[in-house]
Amino acid sequence: MYSWLTEHKIPLGSWIKSFVDFLNQHAQWLFDWISLVLGTLIEGLTDLLLAVPPLLLIAIFAGIAYGLHRSFRLAAFTAIAFLLVINLGYWQPTIETLALVIWATLVCVVVGVPIGIAAAHRPWLYAGIRPALDLMQTIPTFVYLIPTLVLFGLGTVPGLISTVIFAIPAPIRLTHLGITSVPAQLREAGQAFGATKRQLLYKVELPHAMPTIMAGITQCIMLSLSMVVIAALVGADGLGKPVVRALNSVNIGMGFEAGAAIVLLAIVLDRVCKRPERRKGAR
Amino acid sequence: MPAIQFNKVDIVFGDRRGKAPALIDQGKTRDEILAATGAVLGAAGIDLTVERGEICVLMGLSGSGKSTVLRAVNGLNEVARGSVLVSHDGAAVDVTHCDDATLREIRMRTVSMVFQQFGLLPWRSVRENVGFGLEIRGMPAAERRRIVDEKLAMVGLSQWADKHAQELSGGMQQRVGLARAFATDAEILLMDEPFSALDPLIRDKMQDELLDLQRRIQKTILFVSHDLDEAMKIGSKIAIMEAGCIVQCGTAEDILLRPATPYVAEFVKHTNPLNVLRGHSVMTPACSVRRSDGTVLLDRDGLVRMRVDAGDRPVGVEVNGREGSLGRVNGNAGAFDTPCDIIVAPVELKLATTIALKRKTDHPIIFVDADGKLAGLCGDDEIYGSLLRRSA
Ligand SMILES: Nc1ncnc2c1ncn2[C@@H]1O[C@H](COP(=O)(O)OP(=O)(O)OP(=O)(O)O)[C@@H](O)[C@H]1O
Ligand SMILES: [Mg+2]
């Protein structure tokens, strides 16, 4: 039995390989094009952010933090965190990572939220994509790093793609959760007043699901950030690079400094993106 | 054309409901159908007509199918068989078979709904909640605001317009729900136990407010309640439901005096008759009063005699040979002209008011109909009799 099993191995590996090769040969233009567009977008944003004098940019970030939360403490914390990053000497990689995270999150939201909505309205669709979502979150990242590398080449784009694959289940799941947990009575209130499907979505379902969707987006940002080191392995710029370099040269100091910059960025992003304390009276 | 008309409506829930109608025709009960097919019988053979301006109350125990019937009117529940005609734009539209656009039109303009748990959108302000139906209709903001503020004033919540719905008490939230339903100016209002979530004092107040509003705006209301006292207080017609069927439909007095089944009788036992019974079900009717030489004898010894004119309308009274005066009562407030020797009251006077009058004076009470014609007499005997008959 055992030998029979080993002799008749299912050629899973070679199937996948031929599939990727097939894509590589026949759809190369498509991947090149995606690579070009995404690469330009990320670089564009990075260049734009780096073109602004760092202190001015920090002031802008602090301003955004204040604008969203009306909290001087958070604004001051944001400014201090970024000043610390400059002090550590990681300003440029931090901005590169920030650009990567912003684009990854944007892609996740633009693709994930509509998928979540569609899945909430069609139980069969959700049943269909659930295994895929589980797979995307459990399969070791390195495994899909290799095909993305083959298809998109070395650089920031395969990093972005891997990040999106890893992070997108969060907004999909939480959007699905938010929409399906709309109380039947609210949906009926909408229907009873003659709302169309679209009005029901925009006036009842989405507003009700918004806090949950926002939680999904915050989670997505954190997941993206946790991918920076792995993205660096395929050549993405950012704070992952010094970590990888420190690992290769057993440089404890550099590893910790770059790690500290990642943690600071993570805390700032988490605090800024957290839903502002809900206005009084709202649920 | 009635505002709402149900014709032999059956409603069945569940995936395997295909076979249910055949079983209903065989006279199977809800439990038997559930056991045979797994489908839940929501309502069976509903025939009900609600006229314009009427308040019709669906009454029954929990699970008897009241909400199911109500929700068929605006198509929230699918109807398995039969038709539900709603008067919309001067035509009777069958909501069970009309196209989506018509159904939507009906929901936007003709039928609106008040929910038991209020169904307000918690992220919206009171004003935005009230304007919800108009917003769905696509009405411009300025016009919407004018109407919304008018409705908010109607339910007395103008100062609360910018608060969130959650900041209001239950009674206030339900007033927001009422204002939202009134805002679309729909002819027909569906109310699914709108006051059940409120405590008894507020509920009583809201019932009075609803009756008061109804006098002013004259809508057609289909109201669900599991409380017979509430049903009798506000309903001009009451339909009592049991296990998906209407077992009796009639006025509050009909039901109180002539319950059709033991189930209805059981409900009736626990109600207070004082506000339901009216003069005509208590009095000794005009045809059996004692008369002599064109006067009506009001006491045993023939000392109090009431004169009537050719149209049998009371015109004067003679007490022990002395000329007395008539005290006329208007409406149910129970105020009358004093001093007087007999009281002349409209025949729709509630038993509660009649008793209150009796307590204040010891005069005989004469009931007259809308034309002022003698309808009957009501003395202590009649009052006690009516109370005893019920508990017997
Ligand atoms: N959407 C549904 N799916 C399946 N069964 C339903 C559905 N809605 C109602 N039913 C069933 O129909 C029957 C009547 O329910 P309905 O809600 O009309 O009762 P009700 O008289 O309004 O009771 P309550 O006073 O508790 O609101 C119940 O047995 C219920 O289980
Ligand atoms: Mg109900």
Side-chain angles (χ1 to χ4, degrees):
Chain A
M1 180 65 181
Y2 181 82
S3 57
W4 184 86
L5 276 177
T6 47
E7 275 158 29
H8 297 81
K9 178 179 184 298
I10 300 169
L12 185 64
S14 52
W15 284 346
I16 301 276
K17 180 169 185 313
S18 357
F19 177 65
V20 172
D21 284 347
F22 173 85
L23 284 182
N24 208 6
Q25 274 164 24
H26 298 276
Q28 187 59 51
W29 58 272
L30 178 66
F31 294 105
D32 285 350
W33 185 78
I34 295 177
S35 198
L36 182 73
V37 172
L38 289 178
T40 317
L41 289 175
I42 299 173
E43 261 166 49
L45 182 61
T46 313
D47 291 347
L48 180 75
L49 292 177
L50 286 175
V52 185
L55 292 182
L56 177 60
L57 195 58
I58 291 177
I60 293 174
F61 286 158
I64 292 175
Y66 181 75
L68 287 177
H69 296 265
R70 305 274 142 200
S71 151
F72 278 113
R73 278 181 52 190
L74 185 64
F77 175 77
T78 306
I80 292 170
F82 280 113
L83 289 173
L84 213 57
V85 165
I86 293 186
N87 178 265
L88 288 171
Y90 286 109
W91 177 250
Q92 184 174 343
T94 300
I95 292 302
E96 286 162 355
T97 292
L98 187 63
L100 182 67
V101 167
I102 290 175
W103 278 114
T105 306
L106 272 178
V107 172
C108 285
V109 169
V110 167
V111 179
V113 171
I115 291 182
I117 294 172
H121 290 155
R122 299 168 188 76
W124 57 267
L125 180 60
Y126 188 63
I129 62 174
R130 239 176 72 178
L133 295 182
D134 290 339
L135 196 69
M136 282 156 87
Q137 284 188 314
T138 47
I139 196 167
T141 337
F142 288 98
V143 175
Y144 52 76
L145 216 50
I146 313 164
T148 45
L149 198 60
V150 172
L151 294 174
F152 295 97
L154 215 58
T156 305
V157 174
L160 177 74
I161 301 286
S162 308
T163 306
V164 168
I165 293 177
F166 181 65
I168 204 167
I172 295 181
R173 277 183 208 279
L174 283 164
T175 304
H176 174 267
L177 175 69
I179 303 270
T180 47
S181 62
V182 174
Q185 202 189 31
L186 292 189
R187 203 170 273 133
E188 278 174 2
Q191 286 169 343
F193 284 99
T196 57
K197 286 219 167 68
R198 168 181 281 266
Q199 283 174 323
L200 212 54
L201 178 65
Y202 284 106
K203 292 187 193 291
V204 177
E205 294 177 329
L206 279 181
H208 185 274
M210 206 33 111
T212 320
I213 296 178
M214 286 308 291
I217 295 175
T218 312
Q219 226 181 68
C220 177
I221 293 176
M222 290 300 121
L223 290 174
S224 308
L225 207 54
S226 70
M227 281 287 285
V228 286
V229 175
I230 292 180
L233 288 178
V234 286
D237 293 327
L239 286 168
K241 272 202 168 153
V243 175
V244 172
R245 225 178 303 133
L247 185 65
N248 289 338
S249 56
V250 200
N251 184 338
I252 298 174
M254 182 157 87
F256 264 88
E257 284 176 2
I262 295 179
V263 170
L264 284 173
L265 187 61
I267 297 177
V268 169
L269 284 177
D270 182 54
R271 294 293 134 82
V272 172
C273 297
K274 267 244 176 70
R275 230 149 48 80
E277 288 300 307
R278 266 311 272 257
R279 277 149 300 153
K280 214 177 71 191
R283 199 163 34 187
Chain B
M1 179 172 50
I4 309 172
Q5 187 168 14
F6 289 83
N7 294 318
K8 304 231 174 320
V9 172
D10 296 335
I11 300 173
V12 186
F13 298 106
D15 298 329
R16 296 170 36 227
R17 54 186 169 222
K19 274 187 267 155
L23 293 176
I24 296 173
D25 290 341
Q26 293 167 23
K28 294 275 200 276
T29 66
R30 170 192 265 187
D31 294 337
E32 287 165 347
I33 293 175
L34 180 63
T37 66
V40 176
L41 183 60
I46 300 297
D47 274 314
L48 181 67
T49 305
V50 185
E51 299 294 340
R52 268 207 141 82
E54 197 171 49
I55 301 185
C56 174
V57 182
L58 292 167
M59 226 284 307
L61 291 178
S62 188
S64 55
K66 310 177 296 282
S67 307
T68 304
V69 170
L70 180 91
R71 291 149 51 90
V73 177
N74 62 355
L76 286 181
N77 277 348
E78 202 186 313
V79 168
R81 254 191 340 187
S83 61
V84 181
L85 302 179
V86 169
S87 131
H88 168 67
D89 279 347
V93 180
D94 183 358
V95 290
T96 59
H97 284 101
C98 66
D99 54 277
D100 284 354
T102 315
L103 182 61
R104 190 165 172 255
E105 194 67 20
I106 288 177
R107 286 169 167 181
M108 280 193 304
R109 296 177 193 282
T110 305
V111 179
S112 67
M113 188 160 176
V114 182
F115 293 81
Q116 175 170 4
Q117 305 295 341
F118 319 140
L120 302 177
L121 307 177
W123 56 88
R124 287 175 166 235
S125 70
V126 166
R127 182 179 279 126
E128 288 165 341
N129 263 298
V130 174
F132 182 68
L134 302 173
E135 193 181 316
I136 295 286
R137 200 190 273 181
M139 180 182 281
E143 195 182 346
R144 199 163 74 214
R145 190 177 163 117
R146 184 180 57 73
I147 296 179
V148 167
D149 286 353
E150 180 187 310
K151 303 298 168 192
L152 277 175
M154 189 169 95
V155 297
L157 285 179
S158 298
Q159 291 95 315
W160 298 80
D162 296 312
K163 294 269 190 281
H164 273 272
Q166 307 287 295
E167 292 174 72
L168 274 55
S169 69
M172 289 163 127
Q173 288 190 39
Q174 195 51 293
R175 288 215 289 255
V176 177
L178 285 174
R180 177 173 71 176
F182 288 135
T184 61
D185 214 17
E187 186 49 47
I188 297 170
L189 289 172
L190 306 178
M191 303 193 171
D192 194 349
E193 306 201 26
F195 306 143
S196 307
L198 309 176
D199 55 67
L201 283 180
I202 310 238
R203 189 186 316 154
D204 203 53
K205 189 159 160 278
M206 298 284 297
Q207 290 162 355
D208 291 334
E209 281 175 24
L210 179 69
L211 287 174
D212 193 47
L213 268 176
Q214 171 67 358
R215 267 190 285 278
R216 280 187 276 150
I217 57 183
Q218 288 292 322
K219 302 284 185 193
T220 305
I221 300 178
L222 186 55
F223 192 104
V224 166
S225 174
H226 60 243
D227 174 3
L228 190 56
D229 280 320
E230 176 174 77
M232 293 193 159
K233 176 166 175 186
I234 64 172
S236 37
K237 177 194 269 176
I238 299 171
I240 299 198
M241 295 195 63
E242 180 187 11
C245 304
I246 293 181
V247 290
Q248 185 173 8
C249 181
T251 64
E253 276 192 297
D254 276 344
I255 286 170
L256 195 74
L257 297 172
R258 291 171 288 279
T261 68
Y263 173 81
V264 181
E266 190 59 30
F267 266 119
V268 165
K269 235 188 215 170
H270 301 287
T271 57
N272 173 359
L274 293 186
N275 281 312
V276 179
L277 292 181
R278 291 169 186 274
H280 47 74
S281 50
V282 177
M283 68 194 185
T284 302
C287 55
S288 40
V289 298
R290 288 192 302 141
R291 297 177 187 249
S292 104
D293 336 323
T295 62
V296 179
L297 308 182
L298 297 180
D299 68 340
R300 212 162 288 144
D301 310 328
L303 295 177
V304 183
R305 296 162 170 257
M306 180 176 71
R307 286 193 307 280
V308 290
D309 66 5
D312 213 16
R313 285 181 284 264
V315 286
V317 63
E318 197 175 293
V319 185
N320 291 329
R322 161 181 74 82
E323 183 64 22
S325 63
L326 305 181
R328 294 198 183 259
V329 172
N330 297 313
N332 270 313
F336 56 94
D337 317 321
T338 43
C340 61
D341 299 286
I342 62 171
I343 291 173
V344 180
V347 72
E348 307 85 65
L349 200 72
K350 285 180 182 164
L351 184 57
T353 321
T354 311
I355 292 177
L357 284 176
K358 266 288 182 202
R359 238 188 100 216
K360 270 190 266 174
T361 74
D362 205 18
H363 306 317
I365 295 178
I366 316 296
F367 285 128
V368 292
D369 64 14
D371 303 328
K373 204 170 145 235
L374 178 66
L377 307 183
C378 179
D380 295 342
D381 266 6
E382 282 83 0
I383 292 176
Y384 297 142
S386 67
L387 290 176
L388 280 176
R389 254 200 309 283
R390 250 182 47 77
S391 54

